[in-house]
Amino acid sequence: MDIAASGGLGALTIGSLAERTGMSKSGLFAHFKSKEALQTQVLEAAGEAFVADIIRPALAAPRGEKRITVLFECWLEVSRDGRAECLFTSAAWEYDDQPGPVRDLLVRMNLDFNDSLCQMFRTGIAEGYFAEGADPEQFAHDLHGIMLIHFQAHHLLHDPKAEERARRAFARLIESNR
Amino acid sequence: MDIAASGGLGALTIGSLAERTGMSKSGLFAHFKSKEALQTQVLEAAGEAFVADIIRPALAAPRGEKRITVLFECWLEVSRDGRAECLFTSAAWEYDDQPGPVRDLLVRMNLDFNDSLCQMFRTGIAEGYFAEGADPEQFAHDLHGIMLIHFQAHHLLHDPKAEERARRAFARLIESNR
DNA sequence: GCGGACGGTGAACGATCGTGCTATTTTCGA
DNA sequence: TCGAAAATAGCACGATCGTTCACCGTCCGC
């Protein structure tokens, strides 16, 4: 997961993993059966980390605006530390026109995350935190966009104001859905 | 540019380009001196396409909201057709933690684009289309975020509602800066 | 007319890739 | 304790990568 997080899924080769772990290539290959399986398993593991570090803390928070805020802050923290969860954003661009099981898995995870966002927002509506007529899909879309541009501003540009801007955009998004 | 646009900058190897063009690897290498030079030159070319297809049409439009809208619509069109300009969004993730001239160029181009956005917004303020107190940097940040999530929704998820959502988010962004 | 750039080819190099195959070691339950 | 099973290693293979080098035409300035 470290290798893939810093260099993309493409950098996660059986050879690089062998060097990193000190094991032989053939020994690793026997474990993972194929490179594709290695990649998908690492993606799955990163998905679990995503749930553990972002989704679960949010679900542990009070419903409504607070829950969405916790999710957002957890995302910021994970992005700040460059943890494995960043895999998704980069892998999504790496494999978006490269059919196969890796892409399929990425699509599924993306849809799952989107569903989680929508669900959180919907309960927020039901609890009266957000406007009745608000569109959950649109909210998830917009929030995800804020996350993506923050990721780019932080990791590519090393913009020190990245978090501040992300928070401002988030506040405006929440405000306009209140 | 075709190769890099569909498969990422990493797929643009001297070998793949040789096969695509029908030339020999060594012949191509003599042209580009190195793989890195090939990549940066392709990026530069994509940058010119970006200016020609997105920045210039916007600058040809009336100042203010109309100009920003034209820029946004041109971006949508380019993204829809999967043209070379899409290189930037994917390359940004491919090289964001891979130091070197490619990364440096990506950063520079990103900053340039950001400046263009800010400038357009600033003249929009001066002409009275946007609020006096609006923050150009924040606007550029938010608009870029909409573009990124649209790109992902369109190219990874093939979401048919991607453009509709992007337009809605854009309209809301404009509205809140009016 | 001739000599040197220029554009291009072909073969070869060392790396690295994924993937097999055959051992050998380690682990663990009966 | 023993034997099966799992884990790991070693070696080799064909591809592909970037890069180098020795060539070969084709043009253009002198």
mmCIF file of all heavy atoms in Angstrom, chain B residues 146-163:
data_model
loop_
_atom_site.group_PDB
_atom_site.id
_atom_site.type_symbol
_atom_site.label_atom_id
_atom_site.label_comp_id
_atom_site.label_asym_id
_atom_site.label_seq_id
_atom_site.Cartn_x
_atom_site.Cartn_y
_atom_site.Cartn_z
ATOM 1 N N ILE B 146 -14.831 21.542 -9.648
ATOM 2 C CA ILE B 146 -15.980 21.087 -10.440
ATOM 3 C C ILE B 146 -15.504 20.362 -11.692
ATOM 4 O O ILE B 146 -16.036 19.322 -12.079
ATOM 5 C CB ILE B 146 -16.869 22.292 -10.818
ATOM 6 C CG1 ILE B 146 -17.468 22.913 -9.561
ATOM 7 C CG2 ILE B 146 -17.962 21.862 -11.782
ATOM 8 C CD1 ILE B 146 -18.224 24.202 -9.824
ATOM 9 N N MET B 147 -14.456 20.920 -12.304
ATOM 10 C CA MET B 147 -13.921 20.293 -13.509
ATOM 11 C C MET B 147 -13.363 18.906 -13.198
ATOM 12 O O MET B 147 -13.556 17.962 -13.973
ATOM 13 C CB MET B 147 -12.806 21.172 -14.089
ATOM 14 C CG MET B 147 -13.344 22.463 -14.700
ATOM 15 S SD MET B 147 -12.011 23.664 -14.948
ATOM 16 C CE MET B 147 -12.768 24.806 -16.117
ATOM 17 N N LEU B 148 -12.657 18.790 -12.090
ATOM 18 C CA LEU B 148 -12.037 17.511 -11.753
ATOM 19 C C LEU B 148 -13.085 16.433 -11.491
ATOM 20 O O LEU B 148 -12.982 15.325 -12.007
ATOM 21 C CB LEU B 148 -11.123 17.669 -10.531
ATOM 22 C CG LEU B 148 -9.840 18.451 -10.749
ATOM 23 C CD1 LEU B 148 -9.007 18.492 -9.470
ATOM 24 C CD2 LEU B 148 -9.026 17.849 -11.879
ATOM 25 N N ILE B 149 -14.073 16.766 -10.707
ATOM 26 C CA ILE B 149 -15.065 15.734 -10.394
ATOM 27 C C ILE B 149 -15.880 15.393 -11.629
ATOM 28 O O ILE B 149 -16.277 14.239 -11.839
ATOM 29 C CB ILE B 149 -15.981 16.157 -9.218
ATOM 30 C CG1 ILE B 149 -16.941 15.024 -8.866
ATOM 31 C CG2 ILE B 149 -16.759 17.407 -9.555
ATOM 32 C CD1 ILE B 149 -16.265 13.743 -8.446
ATOM 33 N N HIS B 150 -16.084 16.373 -12.488
ATOM 34 C CA HIS B 150 -16.787 16.071 -13.737
ATOM 35 C C HIS B 150 -15.977 15.103 -14.581
ATOM 36 O O HIS B 150 -16.507 14.151 -15.155
ATOM 37 C CB HIS B 150 -17.035 17.341 -14.540
ATOM 38 C CG HIS B 150 -17.439 17.058 -15.956
ATOM 39 N ND1 HIS B 150 -18.633 16.451 -16.259
ATOM 40 C CD2 HIS B 150 -16.807 17.244 -17.141
ATOM 41 C CE1 HIS B 150 -18.715 16.305 -17.577
ATOM 42 N NE2 HIS B 150 -17.607 16.763 -18.132
ATOM 43 N N PHE B 151 -14.686 15.381 -14.656
ATOM 44 C CA PHE B 151 -13.811 14.509 -15.434
ATOM 45 C C PHE B 151 -13.903 13.074 -14.930
ATOM 46 O O PHE B 151 -14.020 12.121 -15.700
ATOM 47 C CB PHE B 151 -12.372 15.017 -15.338
ATOM 48 C CG PHE B 151 -11.458 14.407 -16.338
ATOM 49 C CD1 PHE B 151 -11.273 15.000 -17.575
ATOM 50 C CD2 PHE B 151 -10.776 13.242 -16.053
ATOM 51 C CE1 PHE B 151 -10.427 14.435 -18.506
ATOM 52 C CE2 PHE B 151 -9.933 12.673 -16.987
ATOM 53 C CZ PHE B 151 -9.752 13.265 -18.205
ATOM 54 N N GLN B 152 -13.856 12.922 -13.631
ATOM 55 C CA GLN B 152 -13.913 11.573 -13.056
ATOM 56 C C GLN B 152 -15.278 10.928 -13.302
ATOM 57 O O GLN B 152 -15.368 9.760 -13.692
ATOM 58 C CB GLN B 152 -13.613 11.643 -11.558
ATOM 59 C CG GLN B 152 -13.617 10.296 -10.886
ATOM 60 C CD GLN B 152 -12.823 10.308 -9.580
ATOM 61 O OE1 GLN B 152 -11.763 10.882 -9.493
ATOM 62 N NE2 GLN B 152 -13.367 9.671 -8.568
ATOM 63 N N ALA B 153 -16.319 11.698 -13.078
ATOM 64 C CA ALA B 153 -17.665 11.149 -13.281
ATOM 65 C C ALA B 153 -17.864 10.732 -14.742
ATOM 66 O O ALA B 153 -18.511 9.727 -15.034
ATOM 67 C CB ALA B 153 -18.722 12.179 -12.873
ATOM 68 N N HIS B 154 -17.290 11.498 -15.630
ATOM 69 C CA HIS B 154 -17.484 11.221 -17.052
ATOM 70 C C HIS B 154 -16.611 10.061 -17.519
ATOM 71 O O HIS B 154 -17.095 9.126 -18.150
ATOM 72 C CB HIS B 154 -17.162 12.484 -17.855
ATOM 73 C CG HIS B 154 -17.373 12.324 -19.329
ATOM 74 N ND1 HIS B 154 -18.566 11.899 -19.866
ATOM 75 C CD2 HIS B 154 -16.545 12.527 -20.384
ATOM 76 C CE1 HIS B 154 -18.460 11.852 -21.184
ATOM 77 N NE2 HIS B 154 -17.232 12.214 -21.517
ATOM 78 N N HIS B 155 -15.317 10.124 -17.217
ATOM 79 C CA HIS B 155 -14.392 9.159 -17.798
ATOM 80 C C HIS B 155 -14.287 7.872 -17.010
ATOM 81 O O HIS B 155 -14.052 6.816 -17.583
ATOM 82 C CB HIS B 155 -13.003 9.791 -17.941
ATOM 83 C CG HIS B 155 -12.912 10.742 -19.086
ATOM 84 N ND1 HIS B 155 -13.191 12.082 -18.958
ATOM 85 C CD2 HIS B 155 -12.600 10.562 -20.385
ATOM 86 C CE1 HIS B 155 -13.036 12.669 -20.132
ATOM 87 N NE2 HIS B 155 -12.678 11.777 -21.011
ATOM 88 N N LEU B 156 -14.401 7.945 -15.699
ATOM 89 C CA LEU B 156 -14.301 6.707 -14.924
ATOM 90 C C LEU B 156 -15.675 6.043 -14.792
ATOM 91 O O LEU B 156 -15.836 4.869 -15.079
ATOM 92 C CB LEU B 156 -13.726 6.974 -13.527
ATOM 93 C CG LEU B 156 -13.636 5.733 -12.639
ATOM 94 C CD1 LEU B 156 -12.609 4.747 -13.168
ATOM 95 C CD2 LEU B 156 -13.327 6.092 -11.197
ATOM 96 N N LEU B 157 -16.663 6.826 -14.391
ATOM 97 C CA LEU B 157 -17.975 6.230 -14.103
ATOM 98 C C LEU B 157 -18.903 6.208 -15.320
ATOM 99 O O LEU B 157 -19.927 5.537 -15.298
ATOM 100 C CB LEU B 157 -18.645 7.009 -12.963
ATOM 101 C CG LEU B 157 -17.815 7.129 -11.680
ATOM 102 C CD1 LEU B 157 -18.573 7.923 -10.629
ATOM 103 C CD2 LEU B 157 -17.455 5.749 -11.146
ATOM 104 N N HIS B 158 -18.524 6.979 -16.355
ATOM 105 C CA HIS B 158 -19.397 7.086 -17.527
ATOM 106 C C HIS B 158 -20.801 7.510 -17.132
ATOM 107 O O HIS B 158 -21.786 7.039 -17.710
ATOM 108 C CB HIS B 158 -19.438 5.772 -18.302
ATOM 109 C CG HIS B 158 -18.129 5.408 -18.921
ATOM 110 N ND1 HIS B 158 -17.714 4.116 -19.102
ATOM 111 C CD2 HIS B 158 -17.117 6.171 -19.378
ATOM 112 C CE1 HIS B 158 -16.516 4.097 -19.645
ATOM 113 N NE2 HIS B 158 -16.121 5.338 -19.821
ATOM 114 N N ASP B 159 -20.872 8.374 -16.154
ATOM 115 C CA ASP B 159 -22.158 8.829 -15.649
ATOM 116 C C ASP B 159 -22.829 9.742 -16.669
ATOM 117 O O ASP B 159 -22.298 10.800 -17.007
ATOM 118 C CB ASP B 159 -21.927 9.591 -14.331
ATOM 119 C CG ASP B 159 -23.231 9.990 -13.670
ATOM 120 O OD1 ASP B 159 -24.284 9.854 -14.315
ATOM 121 O OD2 ASP B 159 -23.183 10.429 -12.509
ATOM 122 N N PRO B 160 -23.991 9.344 -17.166
ATOM 123 C CA PRO B 160 -24.651 10.182 -18.185
ATOM 124 C C PRO B 160 -25.110 11.528 -17.632
ATOM 125 O O PRO B 160 -25.332 12.463 -18.399
ATOM 126 C CB PRO B 160 -25.842 9.322 -18.628
ATOM 127 C CG PRO B 160 -26.063 8.368 -17.507
ATOM 128 C CD PRO B 160 -24.743 8.135 -16.862
ATOM 129 N N LYS B 161 -25.252 11.595 -16.318
ATOM 130 C CA LYS B 161 -25.701 12.866 -15.733
ATOM 131 C C LYS B 161 -24.519 13.757 -15.346
ATOM 132 O O LYS B 161 -24.711 14.785 -14.679
ATOM 133 C CB LYS B 161 -26.547 12.586 -14.490
ATOM 134 C CG LYS B 161 -27.860 11.888 -14.785
ATOM 135 C CD LYS B 161 -28.773 11.930 -13.550
ATOM 136 C CE LYS B 161 -29.876 10.889 -13.635
ATOM 137 N NZ LYS B 161 -30.161 10.256 -12.336
ATOM 138 N N ALA B 162 -23.309 13.358 -15.728
ATOM 139 C CA ALA B 162 -22.121 14.097 -15.288
ATOM 140 C C ALA B 162 -22.186 15.560 -15.710
ATOM 141 O O ALA B 162 -21.977 16.461 -14.882
ATOM 142 C CB ALA B 162 -20.867 13.434 -15.850
ATOM 143 N N GLU B 163 -22.500 15.793 -16.969
ATOM 144 C CA GLU B 163 -22.497 17.180 -17.449
ATOM 145 C C GLU B 163 -23.575 18.002 -16.762
ATOM 146 O O GLU B 163 -23.354 19.158 -16.396
ATOM 147 C CB GLU B 163 -22.726 17.205 -18.967
ATOM 148 C CG GLU B 163 -21.467 16.889 -19.738
ATOM 149 C CD GLU B 163 -21.486 17.478 -21.141
ATOM 150 O OE1 GLU B 163 -22.314 18.376 -21.409
ATOM 151 O OE2 GLU B 163 -20.680 17.033 -21.974
#
